[in-house]
Amino acid sequence: MIPAARLSAAIEVLDQYLSGTAAEKALTNWARRSRFAGSKDRAAVRDIVFDCLRKREAYSIQGGGLTGRGLVLAHAAAVSEDTAEVRALFSGEGHAPEVLSAS
């Protein structure tokens, strides 16, 4: 998986969590549906999800809302200081998350 696809997977898992599914259950469901994902991919998605959950309040403010997309956007911005790199991850191409808006 490319890094952008890992972010998309984390967004999917976090949206399930925010709709009421336990985090472990949401991760397990994603992993069962995504048999193509290797162990490093599953670990990376898990790390992103739990980092977002640990810093949920701060990330929801930075990312523009308490959504999977908002949390992962703030996580990506925290990991990479380069705005162009974050925009490249949110390109909307292939399995990448949708393009970022001007706001």
Side-chain angles (χ1 to χ4, degrees), residues 29-73:
N29 290 341
W30 171 79
R32 286 183 179 155
R33 286 190 314 272
S34 306
R35 298 224 181 252
F36 58 86
S39 61
K40 290 181 183 178
D41 296 321
R42 289 191 302 272
V45 170
R46 182 197 65 227
D47 291 346
I48 293 168
V49 167
F50 282 115
D51 181 56
C52 289
L53 293 179
R54 277 191 299 275
K55 301 172 184 172
R56 182 171 57 180
E57 297 303 317
Y59 280 1
S60 67
I61 294 167
Q62 294 169 354
L66 187 57
T67 63
R69 183 176 170 83
L71 294 173
V72 170
L73 173 59

Tab-separated table of all heavy atoms in Angstrom, residues 29-73:
chain	number	residue	atom	x	y	z
A	29	ASN	N	-12.277	-5.610	11.352
A	29	ASN	CA	-13.157	-5.670	10.177
A	29	ASN	C	-12.433	-5.189	8.931
A	29	ASN	O	-12.537	-5.793	7.864
A	29	ASN	CB	-14.422	-4.849	10.403
A	29	ASN	CG	-15.347	-5.466	11.426
A	29	ASN	OD1	-15.249	-6.650	11.736
A	29	ASN	ND2	-16.230	-4.663	11.971
A	30	TRP	N	-11.700	-4.086	9.051
A	30	TRP	CA	-10.958	-3.561	7.906
A	30	TRP	C	-9.915	-4.579	7.443
A	30	TRP	O	-9.782	-4.835	6.249
A	30	TRP	CB	-10.278	-2.236	8.249
A	30	TRP	CG	-9.357	-1.810	7.155
A	30	TRP	CD1	-9.693	-1.212	5.981
A	30	TRP	CD2	-7.943	-2.026	7.106
A	30	TRP	NE1	-8.572	-1.035	5.208
A	30	TRP	CE2	-7.493	-1.520	5.878
A	30	TRP	CE3	-7.020	-2.592	7.987
A	30	TRP	CZ2	-6.152	-1.568	5.512
A	30	TRP	CZ3	-5.690	-2.640	7.618
A	30	TRP	CH2	-5.272	-2.127	6.389
A	31	ALA	N	-9.181	-5.157	8.370
A	31	ALA	CA	-8.126	-6.110	8.024
A	31	ALA	C	-8.705	-7.341	7.323
A	31	ALA	O	-8.103	-7.853	6.378
A	31	ALA	CB	-7.354	-6.518	9.269
A	32	ARG	N	-9.861	-7.800	7.746
A	32	ARG	CA	-10.478	-8.971	7.109
A	32	ARG	C	-10.955	-8.650	5.699
A	32	ARG	O	-10.896	-9.504	4.821
A	32	ARG	CB	-11.638	-9.475	7.955
A	32	ARG	CG	-11.167	-10.182	9.190
A	32	ARG	CD	-12.298	-10.737	9.996
A	32	ARG	NE	-11.773	-11.425	11.172
A	32	ARG	CZ	-12.445	-11.592	12.281
A	32	ARG	NH1	-13.683	-11.142	12.390
A	32	ARG	NH2	-11.890	-12.205	13.298
A	33	ARG	N	-11.441	-7.423	5.493
A	33	ARG	CA	-11.878	-7.014	4.156
A	33	ARG	C	-10.707	-6.705	3.241
A	33	ARG	O	-10.851	-6.719	2.029
A	33	ARG	CB	-12.764	-5.766	4.241
A	33	ARG	CG	-14.148	-6.009	4.773
A	33	ARG	CD	-15.028	-4.790	4.599
A	33	ARG	NE	-14.402	-3.538	5.003
A	33	ARG	CZ	-14.419	-3.014	6.226
A	33	ARG	NH1	-15.029	-3.654	7.192
A	33	ARG	NH2	-13.837	-1.866	6.482
A	34	SER	N	-9.557	-6.410	3.815
A	34	SER	CA	-8.402	-5.947	3.043
A	34	SER	C	-7.283	-6.977	3.103
A	34	SER	O	-6.189	-6.701	3.596
A	34	SER	CB	-7.928	-4.605	3.597
A	34	SER	OG	-8.981	-3.694	3.622
A	35	ARG	N	-7.528	-8.107	2.553
A	35	ARG	CA	-6.544	-9.189	2.610
A	35	ARG	C	-5.263	-8.845	1.850
A	35	ARG	O	-4.237	-9.452	2.071
A	35	ARG	CB	-7.149	-10.468	2.069
A	35	ARG	CG	-8.331	-10.915	2.902
A	35	ARG	CD	-8.250	-12.391	3.156
A	35	ARG	NE	-9.408	-12.807	3.938
A	35	ARG	CZ	-9.325	-13.147	5.200
A	35	ARG	NH1	-8.181	-13.111	5.819
A	35	ARG	NH2	-10.399	-13.533	5.846
A	36	PHE	N	-5.344	-7.862	0.947
A	36	PHE	CA	-4.165	-7.431	0.186
A	36	PHE	C	-3.152	-6.712	1.066
A	36	PHE	O	-1.984	-6.600	0.708
A	36	PHE	CB	-4.577	-6.494	-0.952
A	36	PHE	CG	-5.304	-5.274	-0.470
A	36	PHE	CD1	-4.606	-4.152	-0.054
A	36	PHE	CD2	-6.686	-5.258	-0.394
A	36	PHE	CE1	-5.270	-3.033	0.416
A	36	PHE	CE2	-7.359	-4.143	0.066
A	36	PHE	CZ	-6.648	-3.032	0.466
A	37	ALA	N	-3.587	-6.189	2.188
A	37	ALA	CA	-2.712	-5.417	3.068
A	37	ALA	C	-1.776	-6.360	3.822
A	37	ALA	O	-2.219	-7.321	4.451
A	37	ALA	CB	-3.536	-4.594	4.047
A	38	GLY	N	-0.506	-6.063	3.754
A	38	GLY	CA	0.483	-6.867	4.462
A	38	GLY	C	0.562	-6.481	5.929
A	38	GLY	O	-0.123	-5.561	6.394
A	39	SER	N	1.412	-7.159	6.647
A	39	SER	CA	1.529	-6.906	8.087
A	39	SER	C	2.034	-5.490	8.376
A	39	SER	O	1.590	-4.854	9.329
A	39	SER	CB	2.440	-7.936	8.741
A	39	SER	OG	3.743	-7.878	8.189
A	40	LYS	N	2.928	-4.981	7.551
A	40	LYS	CA	3.425	-3.611	7.753
A	40	LYS	C	2.328	-2.599	7.478
A	40	LYS	O	2.232	-1.578	8.171
A	40	LYS	CB	4.629	-3.339	6.860
A	40	LYS	CG	5.863	-4.096	7.282
A	40	LYS	CD	7.042	-3.786	6.385
A	40	LYS	CE	8.242	-4.623	6.784
A	40	LYS	NZ	9.397	-4.381	5.918
A	41	ASP	N	1.490	-2.872	6.484
A	41	ASP	CA	0.373	-1.977	6.187
A	41	ASP	C	-0.632	-1.971	7.334
A	41	ASP	O	-1.101	-0.918	7.764
A	41	ASP	CB	-0.333	-2.397	4.896
A	41	ASP	CG	0.567	-2.288	3.690
A	41	ASP	OD1	1.345	-1.313	3.613
A	41	ASP	OD2	0.495	-3.176	2.815
A	42	ARG	N	-0.971	-3.146	7.841
A	42	ARG	CA	-1.921	-3.224	8.958
A	42	ARG	C	-1.369	-2.527	10.195
A	42	ARG	O	-2.095	-1.824	10.900
A	42	ARG	CB	-2.257	-4.686	9.264
A	42	ARG	CG	-3.121	-5.336	8.198
A	42	ARG	CD	-3.670	-6.687	8.626
A	42	ARG	NE	-2.629	-7.641	8.969
A	42	ARG	CZ	-2.029	-8.448	8.106
A	42	ARG	NH1	-2.367	-8.423	6.841
A	42	ARG	NH2	-1.106	-9.297	8.501
A	43	ALA	N	-0.084	-2.689	10.438
A	43	ALA	CA	0.536	-2.019	11.588
A	43	ALA	C	0.531	-0.504	11.402
A	43	ALA	O	0.279	0.240	12.353
A	43	ALA	CB	1.961	-2.527	11.788
A	44	ALA	N	0.798	-0.046	10.196
A	44	ALA	CA	0.821	1.401	9.932
A	44	ALA	C	-0.572	2.001	10.102
A	44	ALA	O	-0.722	3.065	10.719
A	44	ALA	CB	1.345	1.674	8.526
A	45	VAL	N	-1.587	1.329	9.588
A	45	VAL	CA	-2.964	1.819	9.746
A	45	VAL	C	-3.339	1.841	11.215
A	45	VAL	O	-3.918	2.816	11.714
A	45	VAL	CB	-3.949	0.967	8.913
A	45	VAL	CG1	-5.393	1.315	9.251
A	45	VAL	CG2	-3.688	1.147	7.424
A	46	ARG	N	-2.993	0.774	11.936
A	46	ARG	CA	-3.280	0.712	13.384
A	46	ARG	C	-2.606	1.874	14.115
A	46	ARG	O	-3.223	2.538	14.951
A	46	ARG	CB	-2.802	-0.621	13.951
A	46	ARG	CG	-3.113	-0.785	15.433
A	46	ARG	CD	-2.293	-1.889	16.070
A	46	ARG	NE	-0.882	-1.496	16.034
A	46	ARG	CZ	0.115	-2.287	15.633
A	46	ARG	NH1	-0.119	-3.507	15.227
A	46	ARG	NH2	1.350	-1.854	15.640
A	47	ASP	N	-1.354	2.139	13.784
A	47	ASP	CA	-0.622	3.227	14.445
A	47	ASP	C	-1.264	4.580	14.165
A	47	ASP	O	-1.382	5.416	15.067
A	47	ASP	CB	0.840	3.237	13.999
A	47	ASP	CG	1.619	2.042	14.525
A	47	ASP	OD1	1.120	1.345	15.448
A	47	ASP	OD2	2.730	1.796	14.004
A	48	ILE	N	-1.691	4.807	12.936
A	48	ILE	CA	-2.352	6.069	12.588
A	48	ILE	C	-3.652	6.203	13.372
A	48	ILE	O	-3.939	7.253	13.951
A	48	ILE	CB	-2.618	6.153	11.075
A	48	ILE	CG1	-1.306	6.251	10.294
A	48	ILE	CG2	-3.522	7.354	10.749
A	48	ILE	CD1	-1.452	6.057	8.797
A	49	VAL	N	-4.447	5.131	13.392
A	49	VAL	CA	-5.742	5.171	14.076
A	49	VAL	C	-5.559	5.469	15.563
A	49	VAL	O	-6.213	6.371	16.115
A	49	VAL	CB	-6.511	3.842	13.879
A	49	VAL	CG1	-7.698	3.744	14.827
A	49	VAL	CG2	-6.969	3.714	12.435
A	50	PHE	N	-4.659	4.760	16.217
A	50	PHE	CA	-4.512	4.966	17.660
A	50	PHE	C	-3.847	6.301	17.993
A	50	PHE	O	-4.143	6.894	19.033
A	50	PHE	CB	-3.802	3.786	18.312
A	50	PHE	CG	-4.722	2.615	18.494
A	50	PHE	CD1	-4.506	1.433	17.811
A	50	PHE	CD2	-5.823	2.696	19.323
A	50	PHE	CE1	-5.355	0.354	17.965
A	50	PHE	CE2	-6.684	1.635	19.491
A	50	PHE	CZ	-6.450	0.456	18.803
A	51	ASP	N	-2.981	6.803	17.116
A	51	ASP	CA	-2.433	8.145	17.319
A	51	ASP	C	-3.561	9.173	17.237
A	51	ASP	O	-3.634	10.087	18.061
A	51	ASP	CB	-1.351	8.464	16.283
A	51	ASP	CG	-0.749	9.834	16.500
A	51	ASP	OD1	-0.256	10.092	17.629
A	51	ASP	OD2	-0.771	10.657	15.566
A	52	CYS	N	-4.445	9.008	16.264
A	52	CYS	CA	-5.581	9.923	16.131
A	52	CYS	C	-6.517	9.837	17.329
A	52	CYS	O	-7.049	10.863	17.776
A	52	CYS	CB	-6.352	9.625	14.847
A	52	CYS	SG	-5.482	10.087	13.339
A	53	LEU	N	-6.702	8.655	17.862
A	53	LEU	CA	-7.582	8.512	19.028
A	53	LEU	C	-6.948	9.099	20.286
A	53	LEU	O	-7.646	9.710	21.101
A	53	LEU	CB	-7.943	7.044	19.250
A	53	LEU	CG	-8.816	6.424	18.163
A	53	LEU	CD1	-9.081	4.956	18.468
A	53	LEU	CD2	-10.110	7.195	17.994
A	54	ARG	N	-5.633	8.932	20.435
A	54	ARG	CA	-4.952	9.508	21.599
A	54	ARG	C	-5.007	11.033	21.585
A	54	ARG	O	-5.124	11.667	22.631
A	54	ARG	CB	-3.493	9.058	21.635
A	54	ARG	CG	-3.262	7.715	22.245
A	54	ARG	CD	-1.779	7.460	22.485
A	54	ARG	NE	-0.998	7.492	21.259
A	54	ARG	CZ	-0.823	6.462	20.436
A	54	ARG	NH1	-1.396	5.315	20.702
A	54	ARG	NH2	-0.088	6.568	19.357
A	55	LYS	N	-4.934	11.609	20.412
A	55	LYS	CA	-4.881	13.068	20.277
A	55	LYS	C	-6.162	13.606	19.651
A	55	LYS	O	-6.152	14.630	18.970
A	55	LYS	CB	-3.666	13.449	19.423
A	55	LYS	CG	-2.360	12.958	20.023
A	55	LYS	CD	-1.209	13.166	19.080
A	55	LYS	CE	0.062	12.564	19.674
A	55	LYS	NZ	1.157	12.568	18.717
A	56	ARG	N	-7.270	12.935	19.894
A	56	ARG	CA	-8.544	13.232	19.235
A	56	ARG	C	-8.980	14.679	19.380
A	56	ARG	O	-9.382	15.314	18.410
A	56	ARG	CB	-9.623	12.295	19.765
A	56	ARG	CG	-10.954	12.507	19.102
A	56	ARG	CD	-11.943	11.462	19.469
A	56	ARG	NE	-12.133	11.378	20.908
A	56	ARG	CZ	-12.949	10.527	21.483
A	56	ARG	NH1	-13.626	9.674	20.751
A	56	ARG	NH2	-13.081	10.508	22.775
A	57	GLU	N	-8.915	15.213	20.569
A	57	GLU	CA	-9.390	16.586	20.792
A	57	GLU	C	-8.566	17.603	20.005
A	57	GLU	O	-9.112	18.460	19.318
A	57	GLU	CB	-9.382	16.923	22.286
A	57	GLU	CG	-10.322	16.067	23.116
A	57	GLU	CD	-11.761	16.133	22.633
A	57	GLU	OE1	-12.245	17.243	22.312
A	57	GLU	OE2	-12.399	15.068	22.577
A	58	ALA	N	-7.251	17.505	20.106
A	58	ALA	CA	-6.384	18.450	19.391
A	58	ALA	C	-6.505	18.268	17.885
A	58	ALA	O	-6.599	19.251	17.136
A	58	ALA	CB	-4.939	18.272	19.827
A	59	TYR	N	-6.517	17.021	17.428
A	59	TYR	CA	-6.599	16.759	15.992
A	59	TYR	C	-7.939	17.180	15.412
A	59	TYR	O	-8.012	17.604	14.266
A	59	TYR	CB	-6.349	15.279	15.704
A	59	TYR	CG	-4.904	14.865	15.700
A	59	TYR	CD1	-3.872	15.762	15.950
A	59	TYR	CD2	-4.551	13.549	15.428
A	59	TYR	CE1	-2.553	15.351	15.947
A	59	TYR	CE2	-3.232	13.137	15.411
A	59	TYR	CZ	-2.230	14.045	15.669
A	59	TYR	OH	-0.928	13.639	15.655
A	60	SER	N	-9.014	17.059	16.185
A	60	SER	CA	-10.322	17.469	15.655
A	60	SER	C	-10.370	18.978	15.433
A	60	SER	O	-10.986	19.452	14.479
A	60	SER	CB	-11.453	17.025	16.583
A	60	SER	OG	-11.402	17.718	17.813
A	61	ILE	N	-9.691	19.730	16.282
A	61	ILE	CA	-9.623	21.184	16.104
A	61	ILE	C	-8.735	21.525	14.909
A	61	ILE	O	-9.108	22.318	14.037
A	61	ILE	CB	-9.112	21.869	17.383
A	61	ILE	CG1	-10.129	21.698	18.508
A	61	ILE	CG2	-8.815	23.346	17.135
A	61	ILE	CD1	-9.610	22.064	19.876
A	62	GLN	N	-7.564	20.895	14.842
A	62	GLN	CA	-6.619	21.176	13.759
A	62	GLN	C	-7.133	20.698	12.409
A	62	GLN	O	-6.878	21.333	11.387
A	62	GLN	CB	-5.276	20.507	14.044
A	62	GLN	CG	-4.565	21.072	15.242
A	62	GLN	CD	-3.376	20.208	15.655
A	62	GLN	OE1	-3.154	19.134	15.108
A	62	GLN	NE2	-2.635	20.682	16.625
A	63	GLY	N	-7.846	19.572	12.395
A	63	GLY	CA	-8.296	18.975	11.140
A	63	GLY	C	-9.634	19.476	10.649
A	63	GLY	O	-10.095	19.082	9.588
A	64	GLY	N	-10.284	20.319	11.424
A	64	GLY	CA	-11.537	20.898	10.972
A	64	GLY	C	-12.787	20.139	11.364
A	64	GLY	O	-13.856	20.415	10.846
A	65	GLY	N	-12.684	19.200	12.268
A	65	GLY	CA	-13.876	18.508	12.736
A	65	GLY	C	-13.572	17.117	13.246
A	65	GLY	O	-12.524	16.549	12.956
A	66	LEU	N	-14.511	16.590	13.988
A	66	LEU	CA	-14.362	15.255	14.565
A	66	LEU	C	-14.890	14.229	13.568
A	66	LEU	O	-15.975	13.670	13.712
A	66	LEU	CB	-15.088	15.160	15.902
A	66	LEU	CG	-14.889	13.867	16.700
A	66	LEU	CD1	-13.416	13.614	16.962
A	66	LEU	CD2	-15.649	13.929	18.001
A	67	THR	N	-14.123	14.042	12.508
A	67	THR	CA	-14.406	13.041	11.486
A	67	THR	C	-13.116	12.263	11.236
A	67	THR	O	-12.030	12.730	11.600
A	67	THR	CB	-14.855	13.689	10.169
A	67	THR	OG1	-13.788	14.492	9.658
A	67	THR	CG2	-16.105	14.541	10.360
A	68	GLY	N	-13.250	11.129	10.613
A	68	GLY	CA	-12.053	10.373	10.275
A	68	GLY	C	-11.110	11.189	9.406
A	68	GLY	O	-9.900	11.218	9.619
A	69	ARG	N	-11.661	11.880	8.430
A	69	ARG	CA	-10.854	12.704	7.530
A	69	ARG	C	-10.160	13.835	8.275
A	69	ARG	O	-8.976	14.091	8.080
A	69	ARG	CB	-11.729	13.252	6.413
A	69	ARG	CG	-10.977	14.068	5.392
A	69	ARG	CD	-11.922	14.496	4.273
A	69	ARG	NE	-11.331	15.465	3.394
A	69	ARG	CZ	-10.536	15.188	2.376
A	69	ARG	NH1	-10.216	13.926	2.138
A	69	ARG	NH2	-10.045	16.135	1.615
A	70	GLY	N	-10.871	14.507	9.161
A	70	GLY	CA	-10.280	15.602	9.922
A	70	GLY	C	-9.156	15.137	10.829
A	70	GLY	O	-8.106	15.778	10.922
A	71	LEU	N	-9.374	14.010	11.490
A	71	LEU	CA	-8.347	13.479	12.386
A	71	LEU	C	-7.101	13.051	11.611
A	71	LEU	O	-5.975	13.352	12.013
A	71	LEU	CB	-8.902	12.293	13.181
A	71	LEU	CG	-10.028	12.600	14.169
A	71	LEU	CD1	-10.595	11.318	14.748
A	71	LEU	CD2	-9.557	13.529	15.264
A	72	VAL	N	-7.295	12.374	10.485
A	72	VAL	CA	-6.156	11.905	9.699
A	72	VAL	C	-5.434	13.069	9.035
A	72	VAL	O	-4.205	13.068	8.929
A	72	VAL	CB	-6.607	10.844	8.665
A	72	VAL	CG1	-5.498	10.513	7.689
A	72	VAL	CG2	-7.074	9.590	9.389
A	73	LEU	N	-6.162	14.082	8.630
A	73	LEU	CA	-5.523	15.276	8.057
A	73	LEU	C	-4.609	15.928	9.088
A	73	LEU	O	-3.458	16.272	8.787
A	73	LEU	CB	-6.575	16.271	7.583
A	73	LEU	CG	-6.068	17.623	7.109
A	73	LEU	CD1	-5.096	17.468	5.944
A	73	LEU	CD2	-7.230	18.516	6.711
